[in-house]
Amino acid sequence: TLQLLAENAIKHNEVSAAYPLSIELFVDEQAHTLTMTNPIRLRQIPRESTGVGLSNIRARYQMISDREVEIDQQDGVFKVTLPLLSFQSGT
């Protein structure tokens, strides 16, 4: 999921030596979430988007968790918060 989100940030934002892309990760242990943020610096010539990437992530989490993926965009920052998942071994 993190790789898909990083690819999404690269796809939609201007990335160059002059404008490096800064991606930050935050873990909230109490809320059991991981948040990935990046500044919004949209490309001058946008790449065509199908809108499938984020929808796919949401759909995958719905299959394995009752908690939702939160996607927010404000104050020049794109933010995705993922529930941390816990899997119990059968042994």
Side-chain angles (χ1 to χ4, degrees):
T1 301
L2 294 177
Q3 179 178 343
L4 293 173
L5 291 173
E7 289 172 357
N8 193 56
I10 293 166
K11 176 181 178 180
H12 293 290
N13 289 285
E14 183 72 32
V15 181
S16 66
Y19 298 105
L21 179 63
S22 173
I23 294 175
E24 296 183 337
L25 298 172
F26 304 94
V27 173
D28 183 334
E29 291 183 42
Q30 290 182 338
H32 300 284
T33 60
L34 184 143
T35 300
M36 183 173 183
T37 66
N38 64 271
I40 299 169
R41 192 178 305 114
L42 297 178
R43 292 177 172 273
Q44 296 280 341
I45 302 171
R47 289 189 180 176
E48 195 168 317
S49 177
T50 60
V52 172
L54 294 175
S55 296
N56 218 350
I57 290 170
R58 278 190 160 140
R60 289 177 187 194
Y61 269 82
Q62 284 178 340
M63 287 190 286
I64 58 176
S65 176
D66 59 349
R67 297 174 62 204
E68 300 229 354
V69 173
E70 297 174 22
I71 300 171
D72 189 29
Q73 182 175 323
Q74 63 180 339
D75 300 326
V77 176
F78 187 78
K79 176 171 83 168
V80 177
T81 300
L82 306 166
L84 291 175
L85 304 173
S86 174
F87 294 98
Q88 305 249 336
S89 171
T91 59

